[in-house]
């Protein structure tokens, strides 16, 4: 299990255990964490699971694919550390990961 | 005063999500979730794709793990069939005889596959694909050397054809119109998808009427076409559209018009009853009309609308309807609906398998169909919502980025 901290836009923190193999998005949805909508269920088709990856974790979460990049290009409030959480696979390496959510998902 | 009680009839993507959003939004009254299937709410889109190909299991399909419902105090009535709504007494009666009182009722009964009333329709292995049980059955009859006949060249049919090919089975698509996706996509997209599937071994019988399913020992062995030929097969998938499950609503006198008529809060003609997802006939303000949408984003949007109204908070920002489909390595993303469109602009070249078709009404974008083209989809969706004119020349020019087109 990897412990992942999800921080809502208003600062509310949720710490949950996520099974390796799931994505960071699935970890949020299965625990009913507000702020990650994940309309497409992980098909990289909608950009409604946008998160910001805490600086110190950016190496371990890897980089966005070209498809993910171009989805993020048009999402709102995108920053350098923006990712689609459906594209981050949880591994034991990500135990302790911290991500935060934008105000809205569209 | 006791807390209000919500009963949700239908435990699909819409109903399951409504329960979750109610809790997210702080609703702390009792919630009952009634579903005909014996399963917890699950995602349907992977059934024709990842699940069929063995790349997903029941756990990954479930919207929430079983423990969540207990923790969130959502009372489940799985395998429960709602048989009657008494609006006066505000109760829902189940086939088991249990009558559940409600303060708010959410109908999320979905739609069922339309089947063909032709001889042989009751043969074994003549299937639809709506439920996990359907998908399980289809998977059990697919595999190398098998042949799947698909009636209807819509999205479900094409997705199943692509999955069948991935499993080493043959797939033949039988379509009444003279092109696939005839009811839902423009000819450019139809021709592209037909060619792409054809190059990967899917065969097509277009402009073909289906007269009967023929079989041996109670099992389907072929599809008899109107021209007298019989297409041999080991299984048939019927994918010719769906019918809203609005009988409960009709029986208790709610306004229905090919689906339960609702407003932008997903509220029906009875202020205590909501209808969400495939069963609802909802307003589409952008297009100034009512329509029934069958999509996950729609189920989620209306689940949020109903949950917001019940929890007493502002509803979500209205969304542009959108859809997606994965076939082979293609990602199709569609935003909007091509109502009243009077021209199309193709951006990019279908031969490159990365292009988009924009449907316009004058210089307003009504819809975009984007194949392996996320910027076109994302920018298109934004422009449809914005309702401002675009430069048609820029839109057609791939040397100008979608960022600039949308600027």
């Amino acid at each position: 299990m990897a412990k992942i901290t999800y921080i809502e836009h208003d600062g509310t923190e949720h710490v949950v255990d996520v099974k390796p193999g799931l994505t960071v998005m699935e970890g949020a949805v299965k625990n009913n964490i507000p702020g990650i909508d994940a309309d497409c269920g992980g098909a990289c088709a909608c950009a409604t699971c946008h998160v910001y990856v805490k600086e110190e974790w950016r190496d371990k979460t890897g980089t966005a694919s070209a498809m993910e990049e171009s989805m993020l290009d048009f999402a709102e409030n995108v920053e350098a550390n923006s990712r689609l959480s459906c594209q981050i696979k949880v591994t034991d390496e990500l135990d302790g990961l911290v991500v935060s959510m934008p105000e809205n998902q569209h | 005063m006791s807390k209000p009680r919500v009963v949700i009839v239908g435990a699909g993507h819409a109903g399951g999500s409504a329960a979750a959003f109610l809790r997210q939004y702080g609703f702390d009254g009792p919630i009952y979730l009634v579903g005909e299937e014996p399963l917890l709410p699950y995602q349907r889109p992977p059934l024709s794709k990842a699940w069929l190909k063995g790349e997903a299991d029941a756990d990954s399909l479930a919207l929430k793990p079983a423990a969540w419902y207990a923790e969130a105090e959502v009372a489940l009535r799985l395998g429960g069939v709602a048989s009657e709504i008494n609006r006066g007494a505000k109760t829902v009666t189940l086939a088991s005889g249990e009558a559940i009182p409600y303060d708010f009722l959410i109908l999320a009964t979905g739609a069922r596959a339309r089947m063909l009333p032709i001889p042989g329709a009751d043969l074994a292995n003549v299937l639809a694909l709506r439920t996990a049980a359907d998908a399980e059955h289809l998977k059990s009859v697919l595999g190398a050397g098998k042949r799947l006949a698909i009636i209807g060249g819509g999205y479900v049919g094409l997705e199943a054809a692509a999955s069948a090919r991935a499993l080493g089975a043959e797939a033949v698509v039988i379509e009444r119109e003279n092109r696939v996706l005839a009811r839902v996509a423009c000819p450019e997209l139809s021709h592209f998808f037909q060619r792409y599937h054809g190059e990967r071994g899917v065969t097509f019988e277009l402009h073909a009427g289906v007269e009967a399913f023929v079989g041996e020992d109670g099992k389907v062995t072929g599809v008899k076409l109107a021209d007298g030929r019989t297409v041999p097969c080991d299984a048939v998938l019927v994918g010719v559209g769906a019918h809203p499950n609005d009988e409960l609503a009709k029986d208790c006198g709610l306004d229905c018009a090919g689906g339960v008529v609702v407003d932008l809060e997903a509220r029906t003609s009875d202020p205590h009853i909501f209808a969400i997802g495939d069963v609802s006939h909802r307003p589409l303000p952008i297009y100034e009309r009512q329509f029934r949408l069958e999509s996950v984003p729609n189920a989620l949007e209306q689940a949020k609308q109903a949950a917001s109204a019940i929890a007493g908070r502002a509803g979500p920002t209205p969304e542009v309807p959108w859809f997606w489909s994965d076939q082979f390595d293609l990602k199709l993303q569609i935003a909007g609906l091509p109502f009243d469109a009077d021209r199309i602009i193709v951006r990019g070249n279908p031969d490159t398998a990365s292009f988009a078709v924009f449907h316009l009404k004058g210089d307003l974008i009504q819809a975009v169909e984007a194949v392996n083209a996320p910027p076109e989809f994302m920018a298109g969706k934004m422009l449809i919502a914005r309702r401002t004119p675009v430069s048609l020349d820029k839109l057609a020019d791939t040397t100008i980025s979608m960022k600039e087109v949308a600027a």
Side-chain angles (χ1 to χ4, degrees):
Chain A
M1 286 291 181
K3 217 168 257 317
I4 298 183
T5 303
Y6 298 86
I7 307 175
E8 285 186 63
H9 188 72
D10 67 5
T12 310
E13 285 194 12
H14 305 263
V15 185
V16 296
D17 288 322
V18 183
K19 199 164 86 180
L22 294 182
T23 63
V24 172
M25 176 278 285
E26 289 171 315
V29 170
K30 288 187 187 295
N31 290 288
N32 207 27
I33 291 168
I36 291 188
D37 289 356
D39 285 3
C40 80
C44 196
C46 69
T48 62
C49 66
H50 176 196
V51 296
Y52 307 110
V53 175
K54 269 273 180 282
E55 216 46 50
E56 57 270 30
W57 286 96
R58 286 182 63 192
D59 282 348
K60 284 195 175 149
T61 52
T63 49
S65 68
M67 181 74 90
E68 185 184 340
E69 281 286 355
S70 51
M71 297 292 293
L72 280 170
D73 238 1
F74 290 91
E76 281 172 46
N77 306 314
V78 170
E79 305 286 345
N81 61 341
S82 287
R83 291 291 308 273
L84 296 182
S85 55
C86 70
Q87 301 300 304
I88 306 174
K89 269 257 190 270
V90 176
T91 58
D92 291 327
E93 281 244 282
L94 291 187
D95 186 28
L97 175 69
V98 182
V99 298
S100 56
M101 276 84 87
E103 187 168 7
N104 277 306
Q105 301 280 3
H106 283 294
Chain B
M1 209 178 97
S2 64
K3 288 173 180 168
R5 177 198 295 240
V6 174
V7 177
I8 303 168
V9 176
H13 216 129
S17 299
F21 286 127
L22 279 166
R23 288 297 183 237
Q24 269 191 24
Y25 298 165
F27 175 82
D28 62 356
I31 299 176
Y32 285 76
L33 182 59
V34 180
E36 289 197 3
E37 290 176 68
L39 304 171
L40 292 169
Y42 59 87
Q43 307 184 56
R44 272 168 227 276
L47 293 179
S48 55
K49 309 182 260 283
W51 196 90
L52 209 50
K53 289 188 277 179
E55 295 161 2
D57 58 19
D59 269 0
S60 64
L61 251 49
L63 290 184
K64 307 275 183 234
W68 181 80
Y69 296 90
E71 278 163 28
E73 296 185 28
V74 173
L76 297 171
R77 291 290 184 275
L78 301 180
V81 178
S83 53
E84 194 192 355
I85 298 166
N86 183 330
R87 289 167 54 192
K90 288 211 240 161
T91 56
V92 179
T93 306
L94 307 189
S96 64
E98 183 184 11
I100 312 175
Y102 65 82
D103 295 287
F104 296 104
L105 174 63
I106 300 178
L107 297 175
T109 46
R112 60 181 174 272
R114 186 169 284 140
M115 294 310 283
L116 296 174
I118 58 173
D122 53 353
L123 286 167
N125 297 345
V126 175
L127 309 169
L129 183 45
R130 296 281 307 176
T131 65
D134 293 338
E136 185 84 49
H137 194 155
L138 182 58
K139 195 175 177 179
S140 73
V141 293
L142 279 184
K146 299 288 187 185
R147 189 166 207 239
L148 177 66
I150 295 158
I151 315 298
Y155 287 117
V156 167
L158 292 181
E159 287 170 3
S163 299
R165 292 299 298 143
L167 290 167
E170 286 183 53
V172 51
V173 175
I174 301 169
E175 166 60 50
R176 188 178 56 186
E177 304 293 327
N178 59 8
R179 60 185 176 98
V180 297
L181 304 174
R183 280 172 305 143
V184 290
C186 64
E188 286 76 3
L189 205 71
S190 295
H191 295 144
F192 169 79
F193 273 99
Q194 193 187 325
R195 179 168 59 77
Y196 204 84
H197 278 252
E199 286 166 2
R200 282 150 190 83
V202 177
T203 55
F204 292 90
E205 293 286 350
L206 300 177
H207 219 263
V210 174
E211 289 216 323
F213 301 120
V214 294
E216 273 173 30
D217 303 329
K219 262 191 194 167
V220 72
T221 57
V223 180
K224 187 162 182 252
L225 304 183
D227 66 8
R229 287 178 301 140
T230 296
V231 177
C233 64
D234 300 291
V236 171
L237 174 63
V238 179
V240 294
H243 182 84
N245 294 321
D246 60 0
E247 289 77 5
L248 265 183
K250 274 186 189 155
D251 288 349
C252 73
L254 297 177
D255 286 353
C256 291
V260 188
V261 176
V262 298
D263 63 15
L264 276 176
E265 283 190 324
R267 214 183 280 265
T268 68
S269 52
D270 180 328
H272 300 280
I273 305 180
F274 297 79
I276 61 176
D278 291 9
V279 76
S280 81
H281 197 256
R282 55 160 292 165
L284 291 175
I286 290 175
Y287 304 106
E288 297 173 344
R289 70 187 74 206
Q290 291 268 141
F291 202 68
R292 195 170 70 79
L293 298 175
E294 289 178 18
S295 73
V296 169
N298 176 60
L300 291 173
E301 182 181 24
Q302 289 189 296
K304 287 179 199 167
Q305 289 172 353
S308 299
I310 292 170
R313 60 181 249 160
T317 317
E319 281 183 37
V320 172
W322 72 275
F323 312 86
W324 83 94
S325 176
D326 291 330
Q327 298 158 38
F328 299 111
D329 53 350
L330 300 173
K331 180 174 297 297
L332 171 67
Q333 294 164 295
I334 300 169
L337 293 154
F339 292 124
D340 312 320
D342 49 31
R343 76 181 85 186
I344 65 166
I345 285 181
V346 179
R347 179 176 162 93
N349 180 354
D351 290 336
T352 63
S354 170
F355 68 103
V357 182
F358 287 89
H359 298 251
L360 296 116
K361 177 183 166 190
D363 50 11
L364 293 180
I365 300 175
Q366 300 291 85
V368 56
E369 298 157 323
V371 176
N372 293 338
E376 277 70 11
F377 167 73
M378 293 291 281
K381 193 163 159 231
M382 202 163 85
L383 288 165
I384 293 165
R386 215 190 273 166
R387 307 315 288 154
T388 51
V390 290
S391 155
L392 304 187
D393 291 339
K394 281 186 180 173
L395 194 58
D397 185 347
T398 50
T399 66
I400 297 172
S401 76
M402 282 310 295
K403 276 229 150 125
E404 201 173 322
V405 175

